[in-house]
Amino acid sequence: FRRKTDAEIKQVIDKLKELDEFDNKIFIITADHGMTEMAEKVVDPDTGQLVDALAECKLDLDMKDKSKQLAEKNLNNNLHIWEMGEVLKLMPTGEVTPEGKKMYYKVLAPIEIVQANKGETTTNDTKHADIIAAFNGPMAHIYVKGANGWNDDPQTELLIKVADLLQASLAEGDGPISRLSSSIETILIRNTRNSEYVAFYGAIDNPEHVAANTRIKGMNTPNRSGDIVLIFKDFTNDVPENRYTSGSACKSWHGSLNPSDSYVPLIVAYPGGNKDELEPIINKDTVCPQGKCEGNWKVKNLILEIIKKQYQD
């Protein structure tokens, strides 16, 4: 029933009743994810005044308009592709690896950003790019090209080199990305021996997060998740001038480890039925002990228990 009005929901229910598919049927309703609200006001670095943040959920690529470019960089509290490139400026472009491969340390970016950046730290040519930065609000996934191309795992030494640069920027506080130190909570790096993430900077088990270790393990897919992952300080009680997301500006993001983004409603309804028939199933240790379902994977267990109970009876 997402995004439906009350009248539309009633219309759906009336249709289900007409088809005899409403009363004495068990409905399981849940959200696919939570949301973390972002600040609607940010500090203009030139005036120090609070101004409205841009929140269109898309990157404005009209780089000919200098004011838009500055707004994206300064007024959205987001880490962007060209800012990642600023960190990589510290890497020696053209360095030759032991395998004889020349490293450019440029970030793959849309042509509009490359033109605005004059190709100094960005490129739209995959042959000349060694970094892909995928920005997704509360997390940023950094992919590093391997010695034999993008399908090859990067060397541990190279991953550490890139992560070291990011950590150095955090420690300085006034480095290439001046507000990065107030943005990043944890830097994860993939252990190439067992493909598990380890905390290169900060910690995974922040008590304010919800089941961080379990969820990071679930996120880890060597062929898809980043070689390096930046976890942002995106708690909504941060002061506005602190950065807390990556990518384009939005009024809210999902995919964080915050409580506001971690708890979603799970509704089990039995129209025309008796709740006493449902509660023993819902509260089973194999489903939701004491009525607490931790993890959306519990929905599968709940459905299986309901079906088993139906056929047992």
Side-chain angles (χ1 to χ4, degrees), residues 284 286 303-313:
K284 287 190 70 171
T286 53
I303 293 170
L304 286 174
E305 286 295 335
I306 289 173
I307 292 172
K308 277 165 46 178
K309 179 72 168 62
Q310 179 183 10
Y311 281 99
Q312 283 173 0
D313 292 345

Side-chain angles (χ1 to χ4, degrees), residues 84 87-98 101-105 131 142 144 154-169 187 189-190 200 227-228:
M84 182 68 193
V87 173
L88 297 175
K89 265 186 179 179
L90 303 177
M91 300 285 269
T93 298
E95 180 183 33
V96 179
T97 68
K101 180 180 180 292
K102 188 175 285 188
M103 300 296 292
Y104 293 90
Y105 302 113
I131 306 285
I142 311 299
V144 181
Q155 290 185 333
T156 301
E157 293 78 7
L158 182 56
L159 285 182
I160 292 174
K161 204 170 188 178
V162 175
D164 268 335
L165 273 178
L166 289 166
Q167 185 177 358
S169 298
I187 298 177
I189 188 169
R190 194 189 303 284
F200 185 84
D227 302 303
I228 298 171

Side-chain angles (χ1 to χ4, degrees), residues 59-273:
L59 180 62
D60 194 334
L61 290 174
D62 182 11
M63 294 299 154
K64 293 179 183 178
D65 187 334
K66 206 71 175 175
S67 63
K68 286 186 179 180
Q69 185 180 344
L70 289 174
E72 283 286 358
K73 289 175 69 176
N74 297 332
L75 300 184
N76 279 342
N77 283 357
N78 286 280
L79 172 68
H80 278 300
I81 293 171
W82 52 75
E83 294 176 298
M84 182 68 193
E86 290 300 305
V87 173
L88 297 175
K89 265 186 179 179
L90 303 177
M91 300 285 269
T93 298
E95 180 183 33
V96 179
T97 68
E99 296 80 17
K101 180 180 180 292
K102 188 175 285 188
M103 300 296 292
Y104 293 90
Y105 302 113
K106 289 189 176 183
V107 183
L108 193 66
I111 185 63
E112 294 88 348
I113 289 180
V114 176
Q115 291 170 345
N117 177 249
K118 297 180 181 178
E120 291 181 359
T121 59
T122 58
T123 178
N124 66 321
D125 185 347
T126 55
K127 293 179 181 177
H128 285 178
D130 291 295
I131 306 285
I132 292 177
F135 296 139
N136 181 35
M139 291 190 188
H141 289 249
I142 311 299
Y143 302 86
V144 181
K145 187 189 287 184
N148 298 309
W150 287 109
N151 291 326
D152 193 21
D153 290 333
Q155 290 185 333
T156 301
E157 293 78 7
L158 182 56
L159 285 182
I160 292 174
K161 204 170 188 178
V162 175
D164 268 335
L165 273 178
L166 289 166
Q167 185 177 358
S169 298
L170 296 180
E172 292 170 9
D174 58 353
I177 304 176
S178 61
R179 288 181 288 178
L180 193 62
S181 59
S182 62
S183 308
I184 306 295
E185 181 173 288
T186 305
I187 298 177
L188 304 178
I189 188 169
R190 194 189 303 284
N191 184 334
T192 52
R193 293 179 182 175
N194 59 14
S195 292
E196 296 293 326
Y197 284 119
V198 294
F200 185 84
Y201 169 87
I204 295 177
D205 55 349
N206 182 332
E208 293 182 292
H209 288 161
V210 178
N213 278 294
T214 300
R215 295 168 70 189
I216 287 170
K217 285 180 181 178
M219 172 195 75
N220 185 4
T221 306
N223 292 331
R224 296 187 65 185
S225 55
D227 302 303
I228 298 171
V229 177
L230 309 180
I231 298 178
F232 282 75
K233 296 176 182 176
D234 53 358
F235 286 92
T236 52
N237 59 355
D238 283 348
V239 291
E241 61 265 27
N242 282 358
R243 290 178 178 257
Y244 41 71
T245 58
S246 62
S248 57
C250 271
K251 288 186 177 180
S252 61
W253 281 100
H254 63 86
S256 79
L257 301 171
N258 296 344
S260 61
D261 203 355
S262 304
Y263 295 117
V264 297
L266 173 62
I267 301 171
V268 182
Y270 188 12

